[in-house]
Amino acid sequence: ISPRPLPITALAFAPDGQTLAVSGLREITIWNLKGQLQHRITNMSQRTFALAWLPDGQTLLAGGGIPGELGEVRAFTAEGKLRAVVHQAPDVVLDIKLDANASRLAVADAANAVTIFDPSDFSRERKIDNHSDWVMALAFSPDGKHLASASRDRTAKIFDLKNGEAISTYGGHKSPVQGVVFRADGREVFSTDRTGTIHVWKAGLADIEGKRFGAEKITQISNLGRDLYKLHLHGNALLSHGSDGSARLFQSEDRKPMRAFAHADGWLMAVTWNETAGLLATGAHDGSVCIWKIADGKLLKRFTALPR
């Protein structure tokens, strides 16, 4: 057990929205909505940077590793038993994403690679080695045909999952790209960087006439803190979080701000959303976790994720 709280680097609501998986040191902890520890998953490598549940709620996927030495994705049962070591790499796993129907799992790591798996049996489908630095974040297109990546090499790319080829590259960022997500119609992409800015750009996918329209910048959302991390999209709501301690919701169509969730004085490092329960959870550098009601921004619970 850690003697002091650790930065919360990954969170994931269970599909039913009743429990929350939280990153820890060589473990993952499971908490209820009252901030009470339910159980601990101890068979995990040193750090956890990404968490995701399969839709049936029976399998938790955890990505992380030992910085500079090992990257892993492990699959655990809901009770915490190790099902499989899905992925291994020479450096830490930084993101894992499932497509809309959980038919594909994408893994991003600090060995500069993206790897695609079949979640039904964890067989590897494809490795994409196109970035020159860490791959920080991933996002599937709404139709599941394409994958967007964000990298420390200051680019965001879009890959065709049929062949793994890069079909679009956005180079408008001047600092590492740390988050990426498609708009719900697939035509625009949002990406974030270390200047506290969300860039909005054309996806560069073929339109209905088969023409390409390039990864062209449309606009940006600025002044959101020194650093922004991963992005999330739920329907028409775009969710960002970063170093100023707040998570923010924007309308993805017109980019107007909807609501802010002010968690901490700095370094809000992880968020997770559950539409079924209407809840948002945020995790900060000081080890605190907040659970919010999305509809009105009400804080329901705040606790420190330090097992005793």
Side-chain angles (χ1 to χ4, degrees):
I1 297 175
S2 175
R4 61 183 63 86
L6 293 169
I8 306 300
T9 50
L11 295 168
F13 275 116
D16 64 4
Q18 298 306 301
T19 58
L20 181 67
V22 181
S23 63
L25 180 64
R26 299 185 183 90
E27 68 176 359
I28 300 158
T29 51
I30 309 295
W31 305 77
N32 66 18
L33 301 185
K34 296 179 180 179
Q36 298 167 333
L37 181 66
Q38 302 300 288
H39 64 273
R40 300 163 66 189
I41 300 173
T42 57
N43 191 11
M44 185 58 191
S45 44
Q46 188 182 82
R47 302 298 304 276
T48 301
F49 294 106
L51 292 164
W53 289 90
L54 292 185
D56 63 4
Q58 298 304 305
T59 301
L60 175 65
L61 300 170
I66 304 171
E69 294 184 25
L70 173 70
E72 284 190 328
V73 176
R74 294 189 169 209
F76 297 96
T77 67
E79 295 75 31
K81 294 181 180 178
L82 181 65
R83 279 190 59 193
V85 178
V86 179
H87 174 73
Q88 287 191 313
D91 209 339
V92 290
V93 168
L94 296 170
D95 199 16
I96 55 178
K97 283 292 190 302
L98 293 160
D99 66 3
N101 58 9
S103 64
R104 276 188 171 128
L105 167 68
V107 178
D109 60 45
N112 310 347
V114 177
T115 312
I116 311 297
F117 296 88
D118 180 343
S120 67
D121 59 6
F122 302 127
S123 58
R124 193 173 95 166
E125 293 185 355
R126 185 181 303 281
K127 182 177 180 180
I128 301 171
D129 195 359
N130 194 281
H131 283 286
S132 60
D133 211 330
W134 299 0
V135 185
M136 309 285 286
L138 299 169
F140 282 95
S141 63
D143 61 10
K145 295 179 179 179
H146 301 94
L147 182 75
S149 60
S151 174
R152 202 169 68 160
D153 67 11
R154 303 186 180 186
T155 69
K157 294 177 181 282
I158 299 176
F159 300 96
D160 187 333
L161 290 174
K162 285 189 300 184
N163 52 28
E165 292 182 2
I167 60 172
S168 186
T169 298
Y170 177 73
H173 290 276
K174 305 304 180 187
S175 65
V177 190
Q178 303 191 128
V180 67
V181 73
F182 283 92
R183 201 174 67 181
D185 60 7
R187 288 181 171 267
E188 291 182 8
V189 180
F190 303 91
S191 54
T192 60
D193 62 23
R194 285 187 163 179
T195 68
T197 303
I198 301 173
H199 288 222
V200 187
W201 44 281
K202 293 181 180 179
L205 307 182
D207 64 16
I208 56 174
E209 298 175 346
K211 298 176 182 176
R212 303 257 177 164
F213 47 83
E216 176 187 344
K217 185 176 180 180
I218 299 168
T219 187
Q220 67 183 42
I221 307 169
S222 303
N223 302 316
L224 302 177
R226 299 190 308 276
D227 241 330
L228 287 179
Y229 303 121
K230 295 171 185 174
L231 289 169
H232 303 262
L233 187 78
H234 298 272
N236 188 41
L238 173 69
L239 177 65
S240 74
H241 68 284
S243 63
D244 70 347
S246 293
R248 291 183 172 86
L249 280 178
F250 300 89
Q251 293 181 10
S252 64
E253 297 292 333
D254 58 17
R255 299 169 290 279
K256 290 182 179 178
M258 297 168 63
R259 187 168 295 112
F261 305 83
H263 176 132
D265 292 334
W267 301 107
L268 191 63
M269 303 185 75
V271 299
T272 184
W273 175 307
N274 186 279
E275 294 183 72
T276 302
L279 298 176
L280 171 73
T282 54
H285 187 270
D286 64 3
S288 62
V289 174
C290 288
I291 299 174
W292 311 81
K293 189 175 179 182
I294 297 170
D296 59 9
K298 181 182 178 182
L299 176 62
L300 301 177
K301 185 65 183 180
R302 182 187 181 99
F303 64 95
T304 299
L306 180 63
R308 297 295 186 186

